[in-house]
Amino acid sequence: MTRYIFLSFFVLVGILLFSMASIQKVSMEPPYFLQFDTIAFHHQTQVTIDVVSSVVPTTEQLEVLEKDYKAIWAHLNYIHFTNDLKPGKDRFTERFYKNLSTEYPGLLPGAVQRKDLSHHLILKNWSRDGLACQLIDSVAVLQYQLPSGDSLFTQATIAMALYYQGDNWRLDALSIQNEQPFNP
């Protein structure tokens, strides 16, 4: 008799596990390190870096920082134009992304397209473990394409904090100190 009780218990558990497995949705999205970032791939800008930190990064670390800095700006420009946050979620820290998404109204295609032309980075602080840095983008040249077809060029000073999380640098804080129009 107890044999039948144990057998029916195992059959019941098997049916339960099978039904739970069939209900579960499987996401076919590839992992982060296998995804191709088309927004960052098509982005081109000039970046120069000066280091004034007491801890000096290696040339390999500076190359990774430059590549990821360009990708961060590609996603910032994309958000500026489309208001689509999802493609750039891997370029921002969780706190920064959460702050972006708190007042998110949804997709609103913008009328003004922004393009960053050049940057001059001054690394103010580089952590000893190489996982955090604070920098000043002293001469960021931005071009705004207006709906009328005209272009407006601005020069900005921008303070940023970046953290190395996962496989890339992520933006944690951004403050535009000064942005003024100019004629190139």
Side-chain angles (χ1 to χ4, degrees):
M1 183 66 165
T2 58
R3 180 183 317 155
Y4 294 120
I5 293 173
F6 280 120
L7 185 61
S8 63
F9 175 73
F10 286 122
V11 169
L12 183 62
V13 168
I15 292 171
L16 180 65
L17 289 176
F18 179 76
S19 64
M20 287 177 61
S22 64
I23 293 173
Q24 183 180 8
K25 294 182 181 180
V26 178
S27 173
M28 297 307 293
E29 183 177 330
Y32 167 72
F33 57 88
L34 291 178
Q35 293 178 0
F36 183 70
D37 191 356
T38 56
I39 296 170
F41 180 74
H42 294 296
H43 182 70
Q44 296 178 0
T45 188
Q46 296 177 343
V47 176
T48 57
I49 302 175
D50 289 335
V51 179
V52 296
S53 173
S54 60
V55 178
V56 179
T58 65
T59 55
E60 293 84 16
Q61 289 174 321
L62 288 176
E63 289 172 0
V64 171
L65 175 66
E66 180 180 346
K67 178 182 75 74
D68 289 340
Y69 190 77
K70 290 177 182 180
I72 288 169
W73 269 99
H75 285 282
L76 286 173
N77 292 339
Y78 181 78
I79 289 171
H80 184 269
F81 185 63
T82 64
N83 204 33
D84 186 10
L85 300 177
K86 190 169 183 179
K89 69 181 176 185
D90 296 323
R91 296 296 174 178
F92 310 119
T93 61
E94 184 178 341
R95 184 178 67 89
F96 191 82
Y97 189 75
K98 182 180 172 186
N99 288 338
L100 280 177
S101 62
T102 53
E103 299 295 327
Y104 182 64
L107 291 177
L108 299 170
V112 178
Q113 188 171 7
R114 181 178 68 191
K115 182 178 180 184
D116 57 308
L117 302 177
S118 66
H119 301 275
H120 180 78
L121 305 182
I122 301 171
L123 284 178
K124 291 292 197 177
N125 188 13
W126 186 269
S127 67
R128 293 192 187 281
D129 60 2
L131 297 177
C133 75
Q134 289 79 38
L135 56 92
I136 302 289
D137 192 346
S138 62
V139 187
V141 178
L142 306 173
Q143 175 188 8
Y144 294 92
Q145 191 71 32
L146 304 175
S148 64
D150 295 335
S151 290
L152 173 68
F153 292 89
T154 63
Q155 191 171 6
T157 303
I158 303 167
M160 300 175 98
L162 304 173
Y163 291 120
Y164 194 79
Q165 296 176 340
D167 290 337
N168 61 312
W169 285 95
R170 296 174 186 241
L171 179 63
D172 187 57
L174 173 115
S175 174
I176 299 176
Q177 304 295 320
N178 185 13
E179 185 173 10
Q180 297 178 350
F182 81 104
N183 292 329

